Amino acid sequence: MANLDVEKQIPVVAVRELVVFPGTVVPLYVGRPASLAAVEVALRGDGHLLCLTQRDAEKEDITAKDLYRFGTVTKILQAVRMPDGNMKLLVEGNTRAKVIKLARERKSGMFKASVSEVAESKLPLATTETLIRVLQDKFGDYLKQSEHVTLDVISNIASITNISEYADLIAAHIPVKIAEKQAVLETLDIEARVKRILMLLENELSWHDKEKEILEKVRSEINEDQQSYFIRKKMKAYEDELRKMGDDSVSDASSYEDKIEQLKLTDDLKHKLLDEAGKLKFMPDMSAESTVVRNYLDTMLSLPWGVIDPINDDLEAAAKKLDKNHYGLKKIKERVLESLAVSLRVSKVKAPILCLIGPPGVGKTSLGKSIAEAMGRPFVRVALGGVRDESEIRGHRRTYVGAMPGQIIRALARSKAMNPLIMLDEVDKMGMDFRGDPASALLEVLDPEQNDKFVDHYIESEVDLSGALFITTANTMDIPPALLDRMEMIDLSGYTEEEKYQIAHKHLVQKCLGDNGLESKELSFADDAVTEIIRSYTREAGVRELERNLSKICRKVVKEKHLAKRKTSSVKKIGKKDLQGYLDSAPYDLLDVGKKPKVGVVNGLAWTSAGGELLNIEALLLPGKGELIYTGSLGEVMQESIRAAHSVVRNAAKKYKVKEDIFTERDFHIHVPEGATPKDGPSAGVGMATAMLSVATKQKVKNKIAMTGELTITGEVLAIGGLKEKVLAAIRSGADEVIIPKSNKKDLRDFEKDIKGKIGVHLVSDISEVFKYAFTQE
């Protein structure tokens, strides 16, 4: 607010025992109705308040005569309404203002003022530098003897070069009478203001010297035993006087001290917290410093120091609980029960860091809750998606405004125990920018060899995280290598059709009925209806879309029941033939593969973060000069795969009776449809080679066969990733056969039972084997 609007009236708050200076941030406790009304008006407007100091601090009902006519226009930074109806404000002083007219509203009792802008005197640069140096020297002498000014105030003053701001900030933190501070505020001549402040500093220094003299005389007259008695009595007298004056900080400090003594803390930490609590006794209740100390103590007291929740010792009950909440997931359940068994035999467990990696909707987050429930640990979820600030993990330094601890410490406070299960959700979605790299900050948290001495910037003390069980979740392996190395990866791949069917019957149907206010005696789903929804209404690795479709049917049945003229007690059973009336036409055709064999059209397989997908590969032979054309938004790796496949086909030309001039006088055009979707990766190599050989020899490729595999220029087929998702995608798309690398046979064992009888699997190690299975026998 550089220029004041003389015509505009500013709401006024009368402050007691305080003078607000420009450039300072001050907390205010507002309780009088008139002041509350002024705050409400300011908040509805531009947030500006005029702070005028009250002449008599003891007077409750004031008139315009009770206020100084010179104050500071402030900006409300923060406003918090208290349970008792009062408000806590954080205001920043903007500029000096002189009251031209002060009026009071009859209805609300609030004051409004018309103000004029006041101009400060301007000084030559040499005079300014001299005054700053003199102030620095005198204020430095005062700091050596004073305990009233904190480090953050010192650092703020050190960074100021404007003489007016420098003088105001010093004046705000000198413990002198209000009338003297008001006089400094009203002094517009900079040189005169500095001289007045120097005089106040000189008086304070002389007072300190006299007090020191008196104390030294007293100490010399009493022995060591009497010294402690004297100090305690003196402190007691100070506290009694402060209580009489209505200062609650003393009683707050005693309350904090009692709570600290009850905690299970190390000696060093206990002494540190007691020192912090002791500072409150000498701070004004509404000062910014006391707010910082209170917040720090409240945070430290909220942590569950030494609190360990008992771990479930019944492995059979834990296993039943996991089976009840989740279908399948055999590997992860075994791993959880192993960890639980070890924790029952070892007194100090270094909890492993598990990373559940898989496509969306497969139950990673809900599985974390079930693991915590089975192990008897408190569960806390920390969402890391989109986090870019390192301070979200390690916290902020206490010197910053609005500082708070990091997510890890806040999770401990929410869990009320030192051995919770903390789920770090979407760890692959973290970013980094100028504020730091949160993934790097997690390195210490997720290392069992280091996290027993984790230090958050805010609490500045070691916290033992080794008792906590950390489980992270991710959709992809796009995680920094150093962080990946600290975690044990557990793959949660997509569900088979049978698994989705079981999950729907055991979990989703009941959940959807309950969420929509239905009971099992009102609505049921036939087996063929659930199977049809899975096959024709969803294309996903998880079960979210399946749940949405079930919920959609439930909502429509609820609507029908409300619109029905009479209530019926019969069960509404949804069959396959009823689905079109509730879910419209099926968006997916069961047979996504071609209806008949074609030349140059191959069913490839791709992996995405949402599961596997069928990847159509098309090839065409055109008149040209032997060039290789590829389209379809293909990445560099896929383009290299096409060139490698071209070399393989050209090398095998004689074997398959392909004329050499095809490679010099014709162009091969490779296209992968859905050009708006970027595609990359080497696993389409065998498909590319098959499509090229098909157009070169005019042989048709089987329409119900899908294939995947990386191809070398010597024709060797290499292993690929995401095998389960790709094979399931082939089954969903209606393929009868699938070609996969022989080196992936070990991965096939994990789900071979689930696909038996649904698709034929050909294991290949060379491109010639691919060609043998891929082409029709026409």
Side-chain angles (χ1 to χ4, degrees):
M1 188 176 174
N3 298 311
L4 293 176
D5 187 353
V6 178
E7 300 297 327
K8 184 179 178 182
Q9 287 192 322
I10 304 176
V12 175
V13 167
V15 295
R16 296 190 270 198
E17 293 292 336
L18 177 69
V19 176
V20 180
F21 283 88
T24 60
V25 177
V26 181
L28 297 178
Y29 188 86
V30 180
R32 288 184 283 195
S35 298
L36 289 171
V39 172
E40 295 291 349
V41 171
L43 290 174
R44 289 196 300 268
D46 55 9
H48 286 121
L49 276 176
L50 176 62
C51 288
L52 296 179
T53 303
Q54 197 170 311
R55 296 177 187 274
D56 184 2
E58 301 294 328
K59 196 169 182 180
E60 187 68 26
D61 296 321
I62 58 173
T63 63
K65 295 179 180 179
D66 296 313
L67 299 175
Y68 286 103
R69 295 308 176 97
F70 206 103
T72 301
V73 176
T74 64
K75 175 76 174 177
I76 300 176
L77 302 180
Q78 189 177 15
V80 178
R81 188 171 292 280
M82 309 300 291
D84 58 1
N86 298 332
M87 294 187 77
K88 272 189 176 182
L89 303 181
L90 194 66
V91 300
E92 180 182 21
N94 281 2
T95 183
R96 287 171 164 77
K98 186 176 182 181
V99 176
I100 300 173
K101 182 181 178 182
L102 189 62
R104 189 170 195 173
E105 291 186 354
R106 290 185 180 180
K107 187 175 180 181
S108 63
M110 63 173 281
F111 288 99
K112 279 192 173 182
S114 300
V115 298
S116 66
E117 187 174 6
V118 292
E120 297 181 342
S121 62
K122 294 185 179 179
L123 297 174
L125 180 61
T127 306
T128 299
E129 291 178 352
T130 303
L131 291 176
I132 287 180
R133 192 171 300 171
V134 172
L135 264 180
Q136 284 176 338
D137 291 341
K138 187 59 69 177
F139 192 60
D141 294 339
Y142 172 76
L143 290 176
K144 292 175 185 177
Q145 300 186 23
S146 173
E147 297 179 353
H148 294 287
V149 182
T150 56
L151 289 175
D152 57 335
V153 175
I154 296 171
S155 62
N156 287 342
I157 290 176
S159 63
I160 294 175
T161 56
N162 182 286
I163 181 63
S164 178
E165 293 179 15
Y166 195 96
D168 285 344
L169 200 55
I170 291 176
H173 290 91
I174 303 175
V176 296
K177 294 179 180 179
I178 294 301
E180 292 173 331
K181 285 193 175 187
Q182 182 68 26
V184 172
L185 182 70
E186 295 181 8
T187 304
L188 301 181
D189 185 272
I190 302 295
E191 190 170 356
R193 192 190 308 164
V194 171
K195 288 179 181 178
R196 186 181 288 274
I197 293 171
L198 289 172
M199 181 183 68
L200 295 174
L201 286 171
E202 190 64 48
N203 290 338
E204 287 294 307
L205 287 170
S206 62
W207 183 87
H208 279 300
D209 290 336
K210 288 178 184 178
E211 186 184 39
K212 192 174 179 182
E213 263 179 54
I214 294 169
L215 288 174
E216 285 176 357
K217 285 181 182 179
V218 172
R219 289 195 190 99
S220 64
E221 294 176 0
I222 57 178
N223 56 34
E224 290 184 3
D225 292 335
Q226 290 174 315
Q227 280 186 28
S228 61
Y229 174 79
F230 168 75
I231 293 171
R232 281 197 298 270
K233 284 292 185 183
K234 184 178 178 184
M235 290 288 294
K236 187 71 170 62
Y238 284 159
E239 289 178 13
D240 291 342
E241 288 299 318
L242 285 171
R243 285 195 186 94
K244 290 177 184 176
M245 296 168 63
D247 193 338
D248 295 330
S249 61
V250 176
S251 57
D252 284 352
S254 302
S255 167
Y256 282 125
E257 288 170 352
D258 293 340
K259 292 176 183 176
I260 292 166
E261 292 290 348
Q262 295 171 12
L263 294 177
K264 298 176 183 178
L265 303 172
T266 61
D267 292 340
D268 290 344
L269 184 55
K270 183 174 285 189
H271 289 316
K272 178 181 178 179
L273 295 184
L274 289 173
D275 288 343
E276 292 289 333
K279 291 177 184 177
L280 286 178
K281 297 179 181 179
F282 306 102
M283 291 181 181
D285 188 33
M286 294 303 296
S287 68
E289 294 82 6
S290 71
T291 303
V292 170
V293 174
R294 286 173 203 275
N295 289 340
Y296 175 72
L297 289 173
D298 288 338
T299 299
M300 296 298 281
L301 292 173
S302 68
L303 293 177
W305 301 101
V307 178
I308 303 293
D309 276 9
I311 300 295
N312 182 15
D313 58 357
D314 190 341
L315 285 181
E316 289 184 5
K320 288 178 182 177
K321 198 165 285 186
L322 286 173
D323 288 335
K324 179 184 175 184
N325 293 344
H326 293 272
Y327 178 81
L329 307 176
K330 184 179 177 182
K331 279 189 176 181
I332 179 63
K333 289 176 182 177
E334 285 180 0
R335 185 65 186 85
V336 171
L337 293 175
E338 288 167 8
S339 297
L340 184 52
V342 171
S343 66
L344 297 176
R345 298 187 66 128
V346 182
S347 57
K348 180 69 173 176
V349 182
K350 287 189 175 177
I353 313 299
L354 306 178
C355 180
L356 308 179
I357 185 164
V362 296
K364 297 185 294 295
T365 305
S366 60
L367 182 59
K369 294 179 184 177
S370 296
I371 293 172
E373 188 180 341
M375 300 183 80
R377 292 173 181 260
F379 176 79
V380 186
R381 176 179 170 269
V382 176
L384 295 180
V387 170
R388 294 176 176 271
D389 190 352
E390 179 190 339
S391 299
E392 285 291 322
I393 307 299
R394 285 194 169 275
H396 306 80
R397 301 283 181 191
R398 275 196 289 159
T399 51
Y400 295 111
V401 175
M404 62 173 64
Q407 293 271 26
I408 305 301
I409 296 300
R410 280 183 271 165
L412 274 184
R414 293 200 303 273
S415 70
K416 307 296 182 186
M418 295 300 286
N419 62 333
L421 187 152
I422 299 177
M423 171 161 276
L424 303 175
D425 220 359
E426 309 291 1
V427 74
D428 58 329
K429 305 295 190 302
M430 287 187 296
M432 61 179 291
D433 58 13
F434 63 93
R435 291 166 290 189
D437 181 7
S440 298
L442 274 178
L443 294 178
E444 182 185 1
V445 177
L446 298 183
D447 191 341
E449 299 298 327
Q450 299 178 33
N451 65 8
D452 58 337
K453 290 182 173 61
F454 174 70
V455 177
D456 185 278
H457 288 157
Y458 183 80
I459 65 176
E460 296 175 336
S461 298
E462 291 181 354
V463 178
D464 186 358
L465 298 178
S466 61
L469 173 60
F470 288 95
I471 293 183
T472 64
T473 72
N475 295 135
T476 67
M477 295 284 284
D478 188 18
I479 303 171
L483 190 57
L484 201 62
D485 182 59
R486 286 161 165 78
M487 300 186 289
E488 179 180 341
M489 309 304 293
I490 297 178
D491 187 31
L492 271 72
S493 51
Y495 294 122
T496 63
E497 184 179 305
E498 175 61 24
E499 285 174 330
K500 290 182 181 180
Y501 175 83
Q502 294 294 340
I503 290 169
H505 271 290
K506 293 183 178 181
H507 302 286
L508 297 184
V509 170
Q510 288 302 320
K511 181 176 184 292
C512 292
L513 290 175
D515 290 346
N516 292 282
L518 291 169
E519 297 179 7
S520 55
K521 63 183 181 182
E522 296 180 277
L523 175 65
S524 67
F525 290 86
D527 293 349
D528 61 349
V530 176
T531 303
E532 180 65 12
I533 293 173
I534 293 169
R535 288 178 177 175
S536 302
Y537 288 86
T538 65
R539 275 289 188 274
E540 58 178 345
V543 290
R544 282 193 183 136
E545 190 64 29
L546 173 58
E547 183 180 352
R548 279 193 281 267
N549 279 295
L550 291 172
S551 289
K552 186 176 182 180
I553 294 173
C554 290
R555 291 195 301 272
K556 291 196 174 185
V557 169
V558 171
K559 186 188 77 172
E560 286 177 1
K561 287 185 175 290
H562 276 285
L563 293 176
K565 294 181 179 178
R566 59 187 182 85
K567 294 185 178 180
T568 60
S569 58
S570 59
V571 179
K572 175 79 173 178
K573 190 165 186 176
I574 302 295
K576 179 179 177 180
K577 64 179 183 302
D578 301 315
L579 291 179
Q580 191 163 353
Y582 287 94
L583 296 177
D584 301 326
S585 299
Y588 304 108
D589 186 354
L590 180 61
L591 299 178
D592 280 346
V593 297
K595 293 182 179 179
K596 58 182 181 179
K598 291 183 180 179
V599 173
V601 178
V602 176
N603 297 317
L605 293 170
W607 181 93
T608 70
S609 60
E613 285 186 7
L614 199 71
L615 187 74
N616 290 318
I617 302 169
E618 300 174 349
L620 204 60
L621 202 57
L622 304 169
K625 300 178 181 179
E627 293 182 358
L628 197 58
I629 306 166
Y630 29 80
T631 54
S633 189
L634 309 182
E636 283 189 22
V637 177
M638 190 170 277
Q639 292 176 22
E640 289 176 358
S641 293
I642 295 173
R643 289 195 287 270
H646 182 263
S647 298
V648 168
V649 172
R650 188 167 186 177
N651 187 50
K654 186 178 290 186
K655 179 179 178 180
Y656 294 98
K657 299 178 182 180
V658 178
K659 295 180 181 180
E660 181 62 30
D661 60 358
I662 283 180
F663 299 99
T664 57
E665 298 176 6
R666 308 291 290 274
D667 293 340
F668 281 93
H669 185 171
I670 306 297
H671 178 66
V672 182
E674 296 186 23
T677 306
K679 309 164 195 77
D680 205 0
S683 63
V686 295
M688 302 290 184
T690 303
M692 289 187 202
L693 186 64
S694 174
V695 295
T697 61
K698 297 184 179 178
Q699 292 185 80
K700 294 181 179 179
V701 182
K702 293 178 184 176
N703 61 310
K704 289 197 174 184
I705 193 168
M707 60 187 71
T708 180
E710 182 177 352
L711 189 63
T712 69
I713 59 171
T714 60
E716 185 180 353
V717 180
L718 303 181
I720 47 87
L723 180 67
K724 183 177 179 182
E725 286 85 352
K726 290 179 178 179
V727 174
L728 293 179
I731 295 172
R732 285 200 308 265
S733 302
D736 295 334
E737 303 171 82
V738 65
I739 298 173
I740 66 172
K742 199 169 190 176
S743 46
N744 278 111
K745 187 175 181 179
K746 61 183 186 302
D747 303 317
L748 188 63
R749 295 193 195 103
D750 295 337
F751 60 97
E752 199 166 10
K753 291 187 297 184
D754 300 323
I755 64 172
K756 192 173 183 180
K758 297 179 180 177
I759 195 167
V761 179
H762 304 296
L763 298 169
V764 299
S765 57
D766 188 83
I767 190 64
S768 60
E769 298 175 60
V770 177
F771 295 156
K772 182 176 72 174
Y773 294 119
F775 296 114
T776 63
Q777 301 302 315
E778 296 178 4

